[in-house]
Amino acid sequence: SRRRRRRNCASPSSLRMLGSLELEERGRDVELWGDRVIVAAGQKILVVDASLPEALTVDRLVDAGGIVLDLDVVESSAFFLTPGGIGKADLQDTSASPEEFFCLLPTTTGEWGIVEAGVTGCPDGPAKWYLDMEWRKFPAGFIEVEGGKVFVGLWRNFIVLEIGPTGYEVTGAIGLDDKIDGMKVEGDYAYLNLKHDGAPVIDLTDPDQPSIAGFHNVACWVDGIYVDSMRLYRKDGVRIEIAVIE
């Protein structure tokens, strides 16, 4: 079954547990930043000290203002996606607030806009536009940052944004027939897994005009796993784990 394949993808048998940390809310993603593990859990981004894997401790909490669906760490910044838009947290800062947050807003023509959140949040309240969608109880989204571009998989939309000196600009988008259930960007292509078995390959040769180039046959992308120096950092429900690869 699809569920069994995914579990096998995420559970290698040749691992020895070094440490774990119980989370108060569901962990959705984990990234590595030096000897820190950056965790998306509920509406928070956790900066976890992993210098001693047997004694993991939370250094800092960042309040994202919405469920953190996914994150991507680039240098000292954690880019994150919520149902309302895109934020960025400075990992070298000690503030409990993100450095910036921009609201993603769909238009009636199927295009997307992006505006900086005001002091009261996004227009008409945070993420109001998605509340009538099927996924409101089980939201999912994906974000990857590469080459000055931000790639977002949100509901049935694949969106490309350019990072500018004062914010973001939506440069391209493509609508799909099914919910995006997984996303991986490699080079000039984005590989998507859709909820009901579709698996399109998006051509990013011209990232301003993404298009479907074909389909792949990878059953699942391992979500929430980061490997570095023979150690594996994994989010598993309400816990993050560190194991050594033997």
Side-chain angles (χ1 to χ4, degrees):
S1 70
R2 174 186 288 261
R3 180 174 297 177
R4 181 166 59 252
R5 288 199 304 270
R6 288 191 171 184
R7 184 170 63 247
N8 290 342
C9 283
S11 302
S13 58
S14 57
L15 299 174
R16 177 170 57 86
M17 187 65 63
L18 297 179
S20 67
L21 177 69
E22 296 295 325
L23 304 174
E24 294 182 0
E25 299 183 77
R26 176 188 171 190
R28 290 182 176 270
D29 195 17
V30 58
E31 295 273 332
L32 191 63
W33 181 57
D35 61 358
R36 300 295 190 268
V37 180
I38 313 302
V39 184
Q43 298 191 23
K44 301 288 194 300
I45 297 172
L46 283 62
V47 180
V48 179
D49 185 349
S51 55
L52 292 175
E54 300 82 2
L56 301 176
T57 57
V58 177
D59 272 355
R60 174 188 168 206
L61 294 172
V62 178
D63 187 351
I67 297 173
V68 183
L69 303 174
D70 195 24
L71 58 82
D72 193 12
V73 173
V74 179
E75 297 180 349
S76 61
S77 295
F79 292 82
F80 63 91
L81 177 69
T82 78
I86 298 170
K88 183 172 73 171
D90 183 350
L91 297 176
Q92 295 179 324
D93 191 8
T94 58
S95 170
S97 300
E99 178 181 355
E100 62 186 27
F101 190 85
F102 286 78
C103 309
L104 274 169
L105 303 172
T107 69
T108 55
T109 61
E111 298 178 344
W112 288 80
I114 187 165
V115 297
E116 187 169 9
V119 293
T120 58
C122 295
D124 297 325
K128 182 178 179 180
W129 63 268
Y130 83 96
L131 293 178
D132 293 330
M133 290 185 175
E134 176 188 338
W135 66 292
R136 61 190 181 275
K137 292 184 179 179
F138 302 100
F142 305 89
I143 184 170
E144 291 200 29
V145 181
E146 185 176 314
K149 299 280 188 180
V150 179
F151 303 95
V152 170
L154 188 61
W155 182 234
R156 297 177 178 178
N157 304 277
F158 179 79
I159 308 166
V160 182
L161 305 99
E162 184 170 0
I163 303 174
T166 59
Y168 306 86
E169 178 185 357
V170 177
T171 61
I174 183 170
L176 301 159
D177 294 331
D178 198 2
K179 169 188 170 184
I180 297 174
D181 210 27
M183 184 183 85
K184 185 73 172 178
V185 177
E186 293 286 351
D188 290 333
Y189 296 93
Y191 302 86
L192 306 181
N193 291 108
L194 305 184
K195 183 175 179 60
H196 297 101
D197 296 327
V201 178
I202 307 299
D203 187 346
L204 300 175
T205 306
D206 181 358
D208 296 344
Q209 296 183 347
S211 61
I212 297 177
F215 297 85
H216 67 85
N217 60 0
V218 179
C220 65
W221 298 112
V222 178
D223 182 27
I225 282 186
Y226 194 99
V227 178
D228 180 75
S229 301
M230 300 305 290
R231 286 183 178 175
L232 182 145
Y233 302 77
R234 180 175 71 176
K235 61 92 176 171
D236 181 19
V238 293
R239 179 175 61 186
I240 58 172
E241 302 172 336
I242 298 181
V244 61
I245 301 173
E246 297 181 325

